Amino acid sequence: MQMSFSASAKNSLLKKLDATIEKKAIFVQKKEQRIDSLKQLLNENNNVEHKCRVLADIVGEYKLYNTDSLFKYVNIRQQVAQAEGTDLCKKMAKMNEIEAMYIAGMYKEAFDEIENLQNTNIEPELKPYFFHLQNTLFYLMLETTPVASKKEAYQQMRNRYRDSILSVNDSMSFVYVVVSSSKGQNPESSIEALKKYQKTHKCTKQDLAILSFCQAEIFENLSQRDSAEYYYILSAINDIEMGTREYVSLRKLALMLYEDGDVRRAYKYLSCAMEDAVLCKAQMRTMEVTTIFPIIQEAYQKEVSKYRTQMIIFVASICVLLILVIFAFVMVLRQMKKVSDLRNKTAEMNISLQKINEELKSTNNELIFSNKVKEEYIGRYMDLCSSYIEKLDNFRRDINKSKKEGQSVDLFSILSPKKIEKELNEFYQNFDASFLTIFPDFVEKFNLLLQEDEQITLKTGERLNTDLRVYALVRLGINDSAKIAKFLRFSASTIYNCRVRMRNKSCVNRAEFEQKVMEIL
């Protein structure tokens, strides 16, 4: 019969076993609570049958859990049986003592007590238990003796009592199915019988642990390791969930995992088995674990050392990488700082260039404006010159004509103040027209610099008056009062007073008044 389980199924079950071991304290606590409940129940009734029945349950709980407590309550059960119990109850208590003895490794004492009990009449209902004690004792002696001849003799005695167990149990019973499978005569039918029993009966966790263990041993004997490991895992899970401390499955699984190369799990499981065997004070299990524990522990230490070396190399590599990263980060920061400095410098240069551009633009505008002024006034100047030349020529012709005709020339009438004033007014009109061509909104903007009740109102047909012409010349850049006075044919003091008067009428700061005039466009 060939059975196999996938690696994923096995790994999933191993993870469940890991989680179960992590929660072992919880299962132990539950077992302690069950025991405490039984102890309370023991004191609720003084009836002998009640006490014997409850003590049997307490002994059953301690049997694979704590040998010291097992002996204590076995002795209590014997005392109750001796005092008030039936012969059947006394023999059952004695059998409990024998079982406690071989669990504790007291094989000689257990053997002697079996010999003494064997000389008495064993009731039919006690024979399955009695044969079980003999079978188990000879199995333990077989496992521990180093003498080959003794091994053979113990094996024969075990086979004998195993047959005796089968003879006194129903073929459909749990004990019959389990003991029959241990004979190893027909593995296929044994596996089928174990599976069938599990399907057709409501099994406790302890029953499941035993059924899985029996199947695991059969598969191990058939060299089907995967299947054997699978059922050892199932058995170990049920053992730990029951709070059992005296078990075999976890130890055997640890050894197989060690052989598979899973040293970490092997060490973990064997450490758990060692801890439970010591707490239980099960001599046989402690001896089994201590036999292989040093080997697995050494392998585990080597693996830990190897892992530690790898971790040191890994951490050292990480540190080197970290240093390189920090160095790279510092270099990047430096480069970023350089880039930032360059950006700042570029920004400063851009601002400077912008200012220069604005200044150039302003200068260019001033040059354009200056050229416009020059063009306007040069044109006006040429027109005036041409006009005056023409007038002089006409004046010359009139004089020549009068001489030829023998007429006297009235120079006084020709050069009268009215004519000069007319020419001057014409000049001012030309100036006003030229200036307002360049600054068409000068009058309105100039009035905005004056207080509301001091603003200038021009007469009909008048484009500029004397005050406006003074500041028109200031706007054209002629700031010298003497030059302005000469141009407008006034005294310098008159022009000065005019400028002071206009500053006093200003609605802006007096010191800034003429600068504001210069800004009029």
Side-chain angles (χ1 to χ4, degrees):
M1 179 181 62
Q2 183 71 33
M3 289 185 68
S4 61
F5 297 91
S6 66
S8 61
K10 175 185 166 184
N11 289 332
S12 177
L13 209 56
L14 281 170
K15 289 179 181 178
K16 184 179 179 181
L17 176 56
D18 291 338
T20 304
I21 291 173
E22 291 296 323
K23 296 187 289 186
K24 185 173 71 170
I26 297 172
F27 300 123
V28 168
Q29 185 181 17
K30 288 181 179 179
K31 188 173 186 71
E32 291 284 355
Q33 289 172 352
R34 291 197 301 271
I35 294 171
D36 290 340
S37 298
L38 289 170
K39 289 178 181 178
Q40 289 177 3
L41 187 62
L42 179 66
N43 297 322
E44 289 178 0
N45 195 327
N46 289 324
N47 180 273
V48 175
E49 289 185 7
H50 169 79
K51 282 185 175 290
C52 285
R53 186 171 61 254
V54 175
L55 283 167
D57 290 338
I58 295 173
V59 167
E61 290 288 348
Y62 275 127
K63 185 166 60 177
L64 302 176
Y65 181 67
N66 188 310
T67 304
D68 288 344
S69 297
L70 174 62
F71 272 113
K72 176 183 175 181
Y73 281 92
V74 164
N75 289 333
I76 293 173
R77 188 179 187 192
Q78 283 184 312
Q79 290 170 11
V80 172
Q82 290 296 332
E84 304 176 28
T86 63
D87 190 49
L88 182 69
C89 187
K90 292 175 184 177
K91 287 179 181 177
M92 180 62 77
K94 175 55 70 174
M95 290 182 187
N96 287 156
E97 183 184 25
I98 292 169
E99 188 170 19
M101 285 178 177
Y102 69 62
I103 288 173
M106 301 165 62
Y107 302 145
K108 175 67 172 60
E109 291 82 352
F111 184 80
D112 291 342
E113 291 295 336
I114 286 177
E115 287 291 315
N116 293 333
L117 196 60
Q118 200 167 10
N119 294 327
T120 65
N121 183 33
I122 304 296
E123 287 79 355
E125 56 265 42
L126 293 180
K127 282 186 178 180
Y129 186 30
F130 183 63
F131 292 147
H132 164 72
L133 294 177
Q134 290 175 306
N135 174 56
T136 305
L137 177 60
F138 281 112
Y139 167 73
L140 294 172
M141 292 168 69
L142 170 66
E143 290 293 311
T144 54
T145 183
V147 182
S149 58
K150 291 286 185 182
K151 280 184 177 290
E152 186 177 350
Y154 292 152
Q155 183 63 54
Q156 289 176 359
M157 293 302 293
R158 187 191 177 203
N159 291 337
R160 173 186 167 185
Y161 287 112
R162 195 157 46 188
D163 291 338
S164 297
I165 291 171
L166 296 176
S167 68
V168 296
N169 280 281
D170 185 86
S171 61
M172 300 300 292
S173 68
F174 177 78
V175 174
Y176 188 94
V177 172
V178 169
V179 173
S180 177
S181 70
S182 68
K183 295 182 72 174
Q185 293 176 346
N186 193 335
E188 290 85 355
S189 60
S190 295
I191 290 291
E192 289 299 322
L194 291 165
K195 288 184 177 295
K196 182 179 179 181
Y197 184 88
Q198 185 173 335
K199 288 179 181 178
T200 57
H201 292 77
K202 188 177 181 179
C203 300
T204 64
K205 286 191 178 293
Q206 188 172 354
D207 293 340
L208 292 172
I210 295 170
L211 291 170
S212 297
F213 177 77
C214 292
Q215 292 179 76
E217 284 210 312
I218 293 171
F219 284 120
E220 187 177 7
N221 291 332
L222 293 172
S223 299
Q224 296 183 28
R225 287 183 66 88
D226 288 343
S227 298
E229 288 178 11
Y230 185 86
Y231 283 102
Y232 277 136
I233 296 169
L234 286 175
S235 178
I237 290 171
N238 285 293
D239 280 334
I240 293 169
E241 287 182 348
M242 277 295 296
T244 301
R245 285 175 174 166
E246 201 269 348
Y247 48 72
V248 181
S249 299
L250 194 62
R251 173 183 63 81
K252 286 203 168 190
L253 175 63
L255 182 59
M256 295 182 81
L257 290 174
Y258 167 71
E259 291 169 353
D260 292 342
D262 193 349
V263 178
R264 287 181 176 276
R265 269 204 174 100
Y267 179 79
K268 178 182 177 180
Y269 294 168
L270 202 60
S271 297
C272 179
M274 170 74 84
E275 179 186 4
D276 285 341
V278 171
L279 289 171
C280 182
K281 296 188 178 178
Q283 185 177 355
M284 175 67 176
R285 303 305 171 211
T286 305
M287 184 180 68
E288 287 173 343
V289 173
T290 53
T291 301
I292 60 172
F293 189 76
I295 300 169
I296 295 179
Q297 185 181 37
E298 183 181 359
Y300 177 74
Q301 293 299 333
K302 285 180 180 178
E303 186 166 304
V304 169
S305 178
K306 180 181 176 182
Y307 176 75
R308 188 180 293 115
T309 302
Q310 290 174 344
M311 284 300 297
I312 290 170
I313 294 170
F314 176 74
V315 171
S317 301
I318 291 294
C319 289
V320 171
L321 286 173
L322 185 61
I323 291 169
L324 291 174
V325 168
I326 292 171
F327 177 75
F329 182 70
V330 170
M331 294 302 294
V332 168
L333 284 179
R334 287 183 178 177
Q335 291 300 320
M336 288 177 67
K337 188 175 183 305
K338 288 181 180 179
V339 171
S340 178
D341 291 342
L342 286 172
R343 284 178 179 170
N344 291 335
K345 288 180 180 178
T346 303
E348 289 174 2
M349 289 176 68
N350 286 335
I351 292 169
S352 298
L353 287 172
Q354 190 174 1
K355 288 180 179 178
I356 292 168
N357 285 334
E358 289 174 358
E359 289 174 2
L360 287 172
K361 186 177 179 181
S362 176
T363 303
N364 190 43
N365 290 335
E366 289 177 2
L367 288 172
I368 291 170
F369 175 74
S370 178
N371 289 334
K372 184 179 178 182
V373 172
K374 287 177 181 178
E375 289 171 2
E376 181 66 26
Y377 279 96
I378 287 171
R380 292 284 179 174
Y381 174 75
M382 295 296 292
D383 289 341
L384 285 173
C385 288
S386 176
S387 175
Y388 286 137
I389 290 171
E390 186 178 352
K391 287 179 180 181
L392 286 172
D393 188 50
N394 289 334
F395 179 68
R396 179 185 61 79
R397 285 177 181 173
D398 288 342
I399 292 173
N400 287 334
K401 183 179 178 182
S402 297
K403 282 183 178 182
K404 287 179 180 180
E405 293 176 355
Q407 297 176 359
S408 61
V409 180
D410 190 359
L411 294 176
F412 180 77
S413 61
I414 294 172
L415 299 175
S416 65
K418 287 184 179 181
K419 281 191 173 287
I420 298 300
E421 186 177 351
K422 180 182 177 184
E423 293 297 331
L424 191 60
N425 286 333
E426 188 178 343
F427 170 75
Y428 288 153
Q429 287 173 4
N430 282 324
F431 172 79
D432 295 346
S434 300
F435 182 80
L436 291 174
T437 301
I438 300 167
F439 302 99
D441 301 324
F442 180 79
V443 177
E444 290 81 359
K445 292 181 179 179
F446 184 81
N447 274 329
L448 292 175
L449 300 176
L450 301 177
Q451 298 173 22
E452 190 172 352
D453 57 346
E454 297 291 347
Q455 290 182 354
I456 297 170
T457 303
L458 294 171
K459 296 176 183 179
T460 304
E462 191 175 35
R463 305 190 73 181
L464 294 176
N465 61 15
T466 302
D467 292 337
L468 289 171
R469 288 191 190 102
V470 169
Y471 280 96
L473 292 169
V474 171
R475 179 62 188 87
L476 292 173
I478 303 171
N479 201 40
D480 188 353
S481 294
K483 290 182 179 180
I484 295 172
K486 188 175 181 181
F487 182 84
L488 296 178
R489 302 177 69 83
F490 290 104
S491 65
S493 60
T494 301
I495 299 301
Y496 175 78
N497 291 333
C498 174
R499 294 175 74 172
V500 171
R501 186 176 67 254
M502 295 309 292
R503 280 199 295 268
N504 291 334
K505 294 179 179 181
S506 170
C507 62
V508 298
N509 191 301
R510 292 177 72 255
E512 298 176 357
F513 177 72
E514 293 193 355
Q515 178 60 38
K516 294 290 184 182
V517 172
M518 291 295 294
E519 293 174 2
I520 293 175
L521 295 176

